[in-house]
Amino acid sequence: MALPHAAPGQPVDIRPLGDALRQAASHAILKTHSLELMRIVLREGQELPPHAVRGECTLLCIEGAVRIEQGGSFCELLPCQVVLLPARGEHAVTATKDSSLLLTVQLPPREPGSASSTQ
Amino acid sequence: MALPHAAPGQPVDIRPLGDALRQAASHAILKTHSLELMRIVLREGQELPPHAVRGECTLLCIEGAVRIEQGGSFCELLPCQVVLLPARGEHAVTATKDSSLLLTVQLPPREPGSASSTQ
């Protein structure tokens, strides 16, 4: 979903989507050289399959519930809970309810030969 | 307030404090080499006076309302709104209601001769 990124100093609404969640898609909120914010929308049963991100992430549950697997450990993330996803650690996220999440990714300096700053 | 930092993979509750806000204090939630999360508690009229942070920050209003000044521009941050505070830009935060906020600070690599990673 192509939405303009927020500018510095411009508040962005991240309230729960409620009934609108069923038609919503994940979208970027803002991106700078060192931080990226996204709203991730996952409907019940949908997942972000196992993947690793170069930078550190936090995941904040806005609504719903997700199950997070990191290195063989599992946790459930409920509304108004935040969790750290360490850099380079592989993690998977599965929605156990219709959910939206605020993902904050710290973008480390590019490594020589790296084509992407986040993967 | 000395609270243990959260470990990676350990969800942390950031729900509104409600009536408990009047006795609450700002506290660290977690800190790694590149990210720091804090809950900032400001009662009506209290402020974080103008200051600059080396890294980029986001500020999420959990409850209450604050007025943010950045470079002569002002915005009001309400519950479920998030705003970017650019690195090195001076900003001030004043609570217009009893408020708690989730502050996420990206910690850039230390500069030679720097004694602190956040200021």
Side-chain angles (χ1 to χ4, degrees):
Chain A
M1 187 157 61
L3 288 178
H5 282 193
Q10 177 186 340
V12 180
D13 197 314
I14 59 155
R15 78 183 69 186
L17 296 168
D19 291 342
L21 191 147
R22 297 196 68 81
Q23 280 74 45
S26 299
H27 60 271
I29 294 174
L30 61 85
K31 184 173 182 178
T32 71
H33 71 288
S34 61
L35 280 180
E36 185 167 13
L37 271 66
M38 285 169 272
R39 190 198 285 251
I40 305 292
V41 176
L42 292 174
R43 280 169 280 278
E44 184 178 336
Q46 288 185 323
E47 66 170 348
L48 301 176
H51 64 286
V53 175
R54 279 221 306 130
E56 289 189 310
C57 306
T58 61
L59 201 56
L60 167 63
C61 184
I62 298 169
E63 62 201 314
V66 296
R67 184 169 179 265
I68 301 171
E69 196 248 310
Q70 294 186 82
S73 296
F74 294 86
C75 73
E76 187 178 27
L77 197 67
L78 300 173
C80 291
Q81 290 185 335
V82 64
V83 71
L84 174 71
L85 305 177
R88 301 174 189 276
E90 193 168 87
H91 54 263
V93 180
T94 305
T96 54
K97 297 180 180 177
D98 289 351
S99 301
S100 82
L101 311 156
L102 177 66
L103 174 65
T104 300
V105 183
Q106 172 264 336
L107 305 174
R110 283 175 187 271
E111 291 175 346
S114 168
S116 164
S117 60
T118 57
Q119 296 297 323
Chain B
M1 185 158 62
L3 288 179
H5 283 194
Q10 178 186 339
V12 180
D13 197 314
I14 59 154
R15 78 183 69 188
L17 296 167
D19 291 343
L21 192 147
R22 296 195 69 80
Q23 280 75 44
S26 299
H27 60 271
I29 294 174
L30 62 86
K31 185 174 182 179
T32 70
H33 70 287
S34 61
L35 280 180
E36 185 167 12
L37 270 67
M38 284 170 274
R39 189 197 285 253
I40 305 292
V41 176
L42 292 174
R43 278 168 282 276
E44 184 178 336
Q46 288 185 323
E47 66 170 348
L48 301 176
H51 63 287
V53 175
R54 279 221 303 130
E56 289 189 311
C57 306
T58 62
L59 202 55
L60 166 63
C61 184
I62 298 170
E63 63 201 313
V66 296
R67 184 169 178 266
I68 301 171
E69 196 248 310
Q70 294 186 83
S73 297
F74 295 86
C75 73
E76 186 178 29
L77 196 68
L78 301 173
C80 291
Q81 290 184 335
V82 64
V83 71
L84 174 72
L85 306 177
R88 300 173 189 278
E90 194 168 87
H91 54 262
V93 180
T94 306
T96 54
K97 296 181 181 177
D98 289 351
S99 301
S100 81
L101 310 156
L102 177 66
L103 173 65
T104 300
V105 183
Q106 173 264 335
L107 305 173
R110 283 173 185 272
E111 291 175 346
S114 167
S116 163
S117 60
T118 57
Q119 294 297 320

